[in-house]
Amino acid sequence: MGIEKIERILVVGAGQMGHQIAMLCALGGYTTTLQDVDQAALQKAETSLHKRMDEWRIKEKLTVVEIDAAFARLTFTSSLEAAAKDADLVIEAIIEKLDVKRELFRDLDRLTPGHAILASNSSTIVNSLLAAVTSRPEQVCNMHFFFPPLVMDCVEIVMSDKTSEATAATVMAVCEQINREGMLLRQEISGFVANRILGAINREAINLYEKGIADFKTIDHIVKKSLGHPLGPFQLIDLSGADVVNFVMEQQYAETGREEDKPAACIREKVDAGELGRKTGKGFYSYDSEQLIKQ
């Protein structure tokens, strides 16, 4: 299946990743549907995207004509069946839980046309675990965007040993059309490249914090000043959400059984307290606006 066949893209999950991925696809010229079972999440996504596009218009990143055309190509729905029936490419961006994703991929395999490619935005759950519940493993891959997708350029495209070259080439071409650099990985590993490196940094930062070597603000400040990172490890946890980080750690521990991959105590405490980061107004830091605290 060639890129000329990709006309309609379905993004499943209207959370902090999914709604921005959908906007990217619409801006890239694709007829795009954003689906979520939660109508409130869809409304929040639409409001957020209009606000972001207004900001881009003011900054002259896009014209009114370009923005209006993109929104004309983007629809919002709670019906998976309606959204999937004519999709050429599906990008899954739901919760980082294997059983939930597998259930979705079973449904997508049943509801989408036979030619449709099924991609997962997950960097933790490799696509072979999802492809196994479908009848089209050669048309399944990971398509991992980075947060926030409307800003970050890189997309990791990951093949399993069943993913076809045609599928990989098609998804890479989609990345090009939506103005993102696709990086092709031909071998699966949980976390892929970027998040494995980031995970190593985060694990050591958490280790230093839990041992009392330095407080989280000091660790963040040192990382930013000495390594040139725009955000420190704990600011990144707040940005991603402690619940997401906890899910990732749980999945990695389930796969490896290594003690060092267990969810960290300080992360579990944040999840239990409902202090998930920016999205709840409090994490390691407190937030009184949608902007990151500048240290």
Side-chain angles (χ1 to χ4, degrees):
M1 163 175 183
I3 183 61
E4 68 275 7
K5 298 294 185 182
I6 296 288
E7 297 177 356
R8 298 180 179 275
I9 295 178
L10 164 61
V11 180
V12 181
Q16 61 181 358
M17 294 294 290
H19 77 285
Q20 291 199 20
I21 294 171
M23 194 73 222
L24 273 179
C25 295
L27 287 168
Y30 292 107
T31 299
T32 306
T33 301
L34 179 62
Q35 186 273 338
D36 198 294
V37 294
D38 185 350
Q39 192 64 47
L42 289 170
Q43 182 59 57
K44 181 179 179 182
E46 187 171 5
T47 300
S48 176
L49 289 174
H50 277 286
K51 180 178 179 182
R52 177 65 65 95
M53 291 302 104
D54 281 345
E55 292 170 354
W56 281 19
R57 175 185 53 78
I58 292 169
K59 295 177 181 178
E60 299 184 343
K61 290 184 177 182
L62 292 173
T63 66
V64 172
V65 171
E66 290 170 325
I67 292 170
D68 287 348
F71 275 114
R73 289 187 288 267
L74 178 60
T75 57
F76 302 81
T77 183
S78 59
S79 172
L80 182 63
E81 184 171 1
K85 66 181 181 180
D86 57 2
D88 300 314
L89 168 65
V90 181
I91 304 172
E92 168 272 312
I94 65 171
I95 192 169
E96 284 293 285
K97 288 191 173 181
L98 178 59
D99 58 340
V100 180
K101 288 183 187 290
R102 283 168 68 96
E103 182 179 357
L104 173 63
F105 270 68
R106 284 192 191 94
D107 289 340
L108 290 172
D109 189 48
R110 174 174 54 87
L111 295 171
T112 57
H115 69 266
I117 291 172
L118 308 181
S120 175
N121 181 57
S122 178
S123 71
T124 306
I125 298 172
V126 294
N127 73 81
S128 59
L129 296 176
L130 305 174
V133 302
T134 76
S135 61
R136 61 183 92 183
E138 72 283 356
Q139 293 162 224
V140 180
C141 67
N142 286 86
M143 191 177 185
H144 175 231
F145 292 78
F146 292 85
F147 185 77
L150 283 169
V151 176
M152 301 298 285
D153 180 35
C154 185
V155 182
E156 291 175 314
I157 308 303
V158 188
M159 303 171 67
S160 73
D161 59 359
K162 300 283 181 65
T163 308
S164 71
E165 292 291 337
T167 292
T170 299
V171 175
M172 289 287 285
V174 170
C175 289
E176 184 175 358
Q177 185 159 329
I178 65 174
N179 197 30
R180 289 296 177 268
E181 185 171 4
M183 303 299 295
L184 183 61
L185 304 177
R186 295 180 175 276
Q187 184 172 343
E188 290 185 317
I189 186 170
S190 179
F192 310 152
V193 172
N195 279 356
R196 287 185 72 85
I197 293 170
L198 180 61
I201 293 172
N202 284 352
R203 279 193 298 273
E204 186 56 30
I206 289 169
N207 181 51
L208 292 169
Y209 168 64
E210 291 190 337
K211 285 184 175 178
I213 304 300
D215 62 36
F216 65 86
K217 289 184 179 179
T218 299
I219 293 170
D220 277 354
H221 193 69
I222 290 172
V223 168
K224 289 189 291 183
K225 289 294 184 179
S226 66
L227 302 180
H229 293 195
L231 297 174
F234 294 95
Q235 288 176 314
L236 278 173
I237 291 169
D238 276 3
L239 184 62
S240 299
D243 54 337
V244 174
V245 173
N246 191 62
F247 284 143
V248 169
M249 289 179 167
E250 286 179 340
Q251 180 63 31
Q252 288 178 333
Y253 179 63
E255 289 183 14
T256 68
R258 300 185 310 177
E259 286 298 308
E260 57 265 37
D261 289 332
K262 271 188 176 180
C266 65
I267 301 298
R268 293 197 305 270
E269 288 170 5
K270 292 296 180 187
V271 173
D272 291 344
E275 298 175 354
L276 307 182
R278 284 183 50 169
K279 59 189 172 185
T280 60
K282 182 174 175 57
F284 285 95
Y285 296 89
S286 294
Y287 302 88
D288 57 9
S289 72
E290 293 183 0
Q291 307 219 341
L292 278 170
I293 290 177
K294 294 185 190 231
Q295 300 300 317

